[in-house]
Amino acid sequence: MISGEEPASLPQMPAYHLCRPDGHGITLVNIGVGPSNAKTITDHLAVLRPHCWLMVGHCAGLRRSQKLGDYVLAHGYVRDDNVLNDMLPAWVPVPPIAEVQVALQQATQEVTQLGPSEIKTRMRTGTVLTTDDRNWELRLRALFSQINMSRAIAVDMESATIAANGFRFRVPYGTLLCVSDRPLHGELKLPGMANTFYRTRISQHLMIGIETMRALRRNGVDHLHSRKLRGFDEPPFR
């Protein structure tokens, strides 16, 4: 709100706008939980033709070497979200966007102040499985082959949807997640654990997202519109 007064109740997906005179600002949207929310908000945002959108959220870590608070830089997605199958079949690959991947990695190093060797212990690059089942760990037997064959290192409920809609609408995308629980290894997101996690990580995680956007802006937004997002018969410009 312009007045700075806190509204009586927040909207379903509150947005916070970091404005600039040149119009190249940043909007943060709290989309809540689930692929349906992710599809709805990106359907709306795509009409505004943003230069890029990022998914900055939490995930379940699948590897024993991961710790709570570690970061996951997605370079591939398993689409078990089931909300875009009619518009973008699950067999269509959703490739990473190189410029966004590099900016996310560099921003993580800058914000965490970790060296090249140390950052590898705090951030893993790999495949993220996005599911529409909040209690996915209860049907692990059914998901095991997908997780194992895809070499997935994390599970969440929004990343693949946001990336797939970016691919569909030709909006560059990227994903940096933070491990908030490890249900396969006995570390659940219990209330006390969640509070400690949020206090120590959420500010740093948001700063990484903001610094990534700043870096992409400095490097020139015209470089973001990758050929990967265009068909062979589409024009080369945005």
Side-chain angles (χ1 to χ4, degrees):
M1 297 179 66
I2 296 176
S3 64
E5 297 177 3
E6 185 176 350
S9 61
L10 289 176
Q12 183 179 3
M13 298 187 199
Y16 308 87
H17 307 285
L18 307 179
C19 301
R20 286 167 52 97
D22 61 4
H24 289 173
I26 301 171
T27 291
L28 307 175
V29 184
N30 183 349
I31 68 172
V33 178
S36 295
N37 281 10
K39 178 185 180 299
T40 298
I41 193 62
T42 48
D43 281 348
H44 283 75
L45 292 176
V47 179
L48 303 176
R49 303 312 303 151
H51 293 291
C52 177
W53 59 45
L54 300 179
M55 169 62 189
V56 180
H58 297 154
C59 66
L62 298 178
R63 300 301 175 93
R64 293 185 183 276
S65 58
Q66 290 172 307
K67 299 178 182 179
L68 298 184
D70 283 357
Y71 292 111
V72 172
L73 177 59
H75 71 187
Y77 305 90
V78 177
R79 293 173 51 203
D80 192 42
D81 52 336
N82 300 309
V83 296
L84 286 169
N85 292 356
D86 291 338
M87 290 154 280
L88 190 73
W91 55 261
V92 176
V94 179
I97 306 301
E99 296 84 357
V100 179
Q101 298 293 101
V102 171
L104 278 167
Q105 183 168 346
Q106 292 176 344
T108 303
Q109 286 187 252
E110 291 173 7
V111 173
T112 61
Q113 293 293 296
L114 296 175
S117 58
E118 296 174 301
I119 196 68
K120 293 181 180 179
T121 66
R122 285 288 314 281
M123 182 180 71
R124 293 195 60 161
T125 301
T127 298
V128 172
L129 186 152
T130 295
T131 179
D132 58 357
D133 185 355
R134 178 62 183 84
N135 298 312
W136 62 270
E137 60 267 35
L138 301 181
R139 60 182 186 98
L140 180 60
R141 184 171 297 179
L143 284 176
F144 181 81
S145 60
Q146 281 183 293
I147 293 172
N148 195 38
M149 292 177 67
S150 66
R151 311 298 193 266
I153 64 173
V155 175
D156 86 331
M157 298 186 69
E158 300 87 20
S159 293
T161 311
I162 290 172
N165 238 7
F167 182 87
R168 176 182 167 220
F169 289 123
R170 293 145 183 85
V171 176
Y173 48 84
T175 299
L176 183 72
L177 303 175
C178 196
V179 176
S180 61
D181 58 304
R182 299 171 66 244
L184 304 189
H185 308 291
E187 290 187 285
L188 304 177
K189 194 189 292 185
L190 300 175
M193 295 171 63
N195 290 340
T196 301
F197 170 78
Y198 285 123
R199 283 198 302 269
T200 57
R201 287 290 179 265
I202 192 167
S203 177
Q204 184 183 80
H205 199 183
L206 285 175
M207 282 306 302
I208 292 172
I210 292 171
E211 288 301 321
T212 299
M213 287 299 193
R214 287 173 175 167
L216 293 171
R217 185 173 59 224
R218 287 195 303 269
N219 295 335
V221 293
D222 292 337
H223 297 292
L224 275 174
H225 305 292
S226 172
R227 295 183 182 89
K228 294 178 183 178
L229 302 182
R230 299 191 300 268
F232 69 91
D233 60 345
E234 291 183 90
F237 301 108
R238 188 164 178 248

